[in-house]
Amino acid sequence: MTDTRIAVIGTPGKWSTEVLADHLEQRTGFRCVVDMADVVLELETGILRYRDVVLNELDGVIIKKISETYSPAADDRIRMLGSLESSGVRCFSTPEQVGRLINRLEGTSALAAGKVALPATRITESTEAALDVITLFGKAILKPLYSTKARGMEVLNAEDGTETNTGKLNAFKAEHGLFYLQKFVNLGGQDLGMVFLGGEYLCTYARVGDANAWNTTIHSGGKYQAYDASPELIELGRRAQACFDLSFTTVDIALTDEGPVVFEVSAFGGFSGALKGCGIDAAEKLCDHVLKELENNP
């Protein structure tokens, strides 16, 4: 038991947030789950308050979830936590690095710059250009810049014709603006989640999709299974997560006919896949990692 005071930035009542808070409480005797919707930043003093807790007086915070849904508003919360970090409170992961992954374009641009294998991707505001991309790809996934668990994504097929796809593109543009189009790749019914803690490989699990869904997310009926990743595949995941500096993350990888590709690196990473797929309590390991970091580098 230590007297270290660490809060969890997350969603009160959600399993992944509460299990992390449970482990911290067991080791430190302190428990605080912070809902960013109730945080107040005093700009003139730099103080952040959550109810009766002054966050600036803590030893650290673990950013488990910044928002239930990604949106430009999540960027504002990241900036608030950046103020907390500037006051000397250690953040795991740092707000700057988390912020790079809230917006899908910024995250995948970093992966592309790092020469990480990705599905072919095109970005445009032009409906005409987007139609040309759909024709080029044959089948494309249209993705919002701010979303998780495949929410808001659409599969567009060139065979559906220009009129149909124009209608879908215009409706999407009215809500989201920019077109982020990625070539549809055959997942073979599964994709992989590769887990890293402090930059070190932890495990890999597979998400096996529901036969009726085009994606394999648990949100769409997928199931977790263990997966024995090859050294080459682990190296791909390692290079992807190394484009960022995250305390804990999951790299989403697909095994396609043309070789493995990375879909994204998670801003937060998930505990459920590691536990259900690999039997590893990643929340406990993250807690140990953070306490060790604070002990060695206060």
Side-chain angles (χ1 to χ4, degrees):
M1 184 77 69
T2 75
D3 59 359
T4 306
R5 300 171 76 232
I6 305 169
V8 178
I9 308 295
T11 306
K14 288 290 186 177
W15 175 79
S16 60
T17 295
E18 297 294 344
V19 72
L20 185 55
D22 288 344
H23 284 302
L24 288 170
E25 185 177 21
Q26 290 168 8
R27 286 161 175 76
T28 69
F30 179 79
R31 183 189 188 91
C32 181
V33 173
V34 176
D35 184 344
M36 286 299 296
D38 293 329
V39 171
V40 177
L41 168 61
E42 298 175 4
L43 278 178
E44 68 276 16
T45 64
I47 290 176
L48 275 81
R49 301 181 187 276
Y50 176 67
R51 298 176 180 171
D52 59 349
V53 178
V54 177
L55 300 184
N56 308 68
E57 296 175 353
L58 300 177
D59 297 291
V61 299
I62 301 177
I63 307 175
K64 183 61 195 80
K65 198 75 173 176
I66 200 69
S67 173
E68 273 302 286
T69 57
Y70 287 4
S71 71
D75 287 328
D76 299 330
R77 294 181 173 185
I78 290 295
R79 291 185 179 90
M80 292 172 71
L81 291 175
S83 175
L84 181 66
E85 185 181 42
S86 296
S87 74
V89 178
R90 296 285 299 279
C91 298
F92 304 89
S93 300
T94 68
E96 177 188 8
Q97 295 301 315
V98 171
R100 295 175 65 201
L101 289 161
I102 295 295
N103 180 298
R104 176 169 279 109
L105 177 54
E106 184 169 357
T108 46
S109 292
L111 292 171
K115 306 301 181 184
V116 174
L118 301 167
T121 306
R122 301 290 186 272
I123 315 298
T124 183
E125 293 183 37
S126 166
T127 301
E128 182 178 351
L131 287 168
D132 290 340
V133 171
I134 296 168
T135 300
L136 175 67
F137 289 169
K139 186 184 288 188
I141 304 177
L142 181 60
K143 301 183 176 183
L145 293 189
Y146 296 93
S147 74
T148 59
K149 306 184 188 304
R151 294 185 182 96
M153 297 183 186
E154 294 186 54
V155 178
L156 302 182
N157 197 321
E159 294 180 354
D160 291 338
T162 299
E163 184 177 352
T164 295
N165 286 326
T166 297
K168 292 180 178 180
L169 288 168
N170 286 338
F172 183 92
K173 187 172 184 178
E175 182 175 358
H176 300 288
L178 194 71
F179 298 126
Y180 178 110
L181 291 150
Q182 204 159 61
K183 185 176 181 180
F184 186 94
V185 296
N186 183 8
L187 299 179
Q190 71 171 13
D191 72 342
L192 308 178
M194 190 171 289
V195 186
F196 290 85
L197 175 64
E200 297 300 320
Y201 174 73
L202 194 59
C203 65
T204 300
Y205 56 85
R207 283 176 294 248
V208 180
D210 183 289
N212 297 316
W214 64 266
N215 67 78
T216 62
T217 64
I218 304 305
H219 180 71
S220 297
K223 304 296 182 184
Y224 293 120
Q225 291 183 6
Y227 186 88
D228 185 15
S230 68
E232 293 78 15
L233 203 58
I234 294 172
E235 180 58 25
L236 172 62
R238 190 185 308 279
R239 289 196 298 108
Q241 63 87 37
C243 294
F244 312 91
D245 184 13
L246 300 163
S247 302
F248 179 78
T249 189
T250 303
V251 182
D252 289 346
I253 299 175
L255 304 178
T256 76
D257 296 338
E258 300 175 4
V261 294
V262 172
F263 279 140
E264 65 180 14
V265 175
S266 170
F268 310 104
F271 298 149
S272 187
L275 184 62
K276 295 178 181 178
C278 307
I280 293 176
D281 189 340
E284 181 180 33
K285 290 186 177 297
L286 175 57
C287 176
D288 291 340
H289 170 77
V290 168
L291 286 169
K292 185 177 180 180
E293 283 289 307
L294 287 172
E295 179 183 354
N296 295 337
N297 302 289

